[in-house]
Each structure stands twice: as C-alpha cells, then as structure tokens.
Amino acid sequence: MDTHAYPVTRTDAEWRARLTPEQYAVMRNHGTERPGSCALLYEKRAGTFFCVGCDQPLFESKLKFESGTGWPSFNDPLPGSVENTVDRSYGMVRTECHCSRCGSHLGHVFEDGPPPTGLRYCINGVALRFEPLA
C-alpha cells in the first residue's frame, strides 16, 4: 500500500465523483486503457497536458512523439511533476509513473525513447487533459 503523503488528497467517494469510471480504473487502480482508444494519442497542437486528477501540468506537447505503441508518449515530464516507483505487477519489473501532486497512476517509463532523454513516458490518455496554447 502507498503510504506517501501527496499535497492533493481525496476520499474514494470524491475520486469517484471527479473521475469517469475508466479514469478511476486507470488512475486509482493502476489500470491501462486500450491502446489507440484515446483521442489525445493524435493531439498534435502546441500546448500542455495536465493531470485529470488534480490539474497539475505534466507534459509539454513539444516533447510528445509517436511511439507506435497506441498510447501518448513523451520524452520527459515537466520538472517535479511526475514521480516514479517500481511496479512488480504481472510478473515483470517496470517503472511506474504517477502524478507528484495527487499520486494518480499515469503510465510507465521505458528506456526505448528517442533522444535527447532516451526515455518513453507511455501515458494513459484518460489520465490527461490537454490545453492548447492560445
């Protein structure tokens, strides 16, 4: 069980009221959306991606790239916006990333991304809200 204290906390009822059932399954129960199912996968405008759980800015569109995996992928998050933990589910070891403000599960980090970081933050689109630049 995660005992880390986050700046934004909500009761289970508050999370369920704020999130759709799919968002709740992904963000609060560490689920995964179906690949290719989120419109944000195809978002190409300049702007910022925010956490649906707490509205924290997470990723800038200039670091988004097409990974061919079916999920929005980014080279790097905004500084301090994402924290990583070890995920040992499904008989494998992966790096999970979650929002540093509310602890919501966002996705996983892999070391097969393009330069400059070589990282691929593979993010569930339902965990994100996009705001284009004005």
Side-chain angles (χ1 to χ4, degrees):
M1 172 168 232
D2 185 6
T3 58
H4 180 74
Y6 294 98
V8 172
T9 58
R10 292 184 169 82
T11 66
D12 188 63
E14 289 169 330
W15 281 117
R16 287 182 186 278
R18 180 178 180 94
L19 305 173
T20 68
E22 184 181 22
Q23 289 170 329
Y24 182 88
V26 167
M27 300 176 75
R28 305 313 303 168
N29 288 328
H30 303 266
T32 302
E33 69 189 1
R34 285 185 303 102
S37 65
C38 181
L40 290 181
L41 174 63
Y42 308 102
E43 181 58 66
K44 300 197 183 314
R45 295 174 291 174
T48 303
F49 293 85
F50 293 81
C51 175
V52 171
C54 69
D55 297 318
Q56 172 166 246
L58 299 171
F59 299 96
E60 292 293 332
S61 61
K62 65 185 174 191
L63 292 178
K64 183 176 183 277
F65 65 94
E66 177 51 54
S67 65
T69 61
W71 291 278
S73 297
F74 302 87
N75 283 107
D76 216 8
L78 291 168
S81 66
V82 171
E83 294 177 344
N84 297 330
T85 55
V86 175
D87 176 1
R88 298 183 191 284
S89 63
Y90 303 106
M92 60 181 114
V93 178
R94 299 179 291 174
T95 302
E96 176 194 352
C97 61
H98 54 271
C99 176
S100 65
R101 185 183 289 169
C102 70
S104 290
H105 171 76
L106 301 172
H108 291 87
V109 185
F110 301 96
E111 295 181 354
D112 61 0
T117 65
L119 298 175
R120 174 174 53 95
Y121 284 79
C122 187
I123 306 300
N124 290 284
V126 297
L128 302 174
R129 176 179 60 81
F130 179 72
E131 200 170 290
L133 288 178

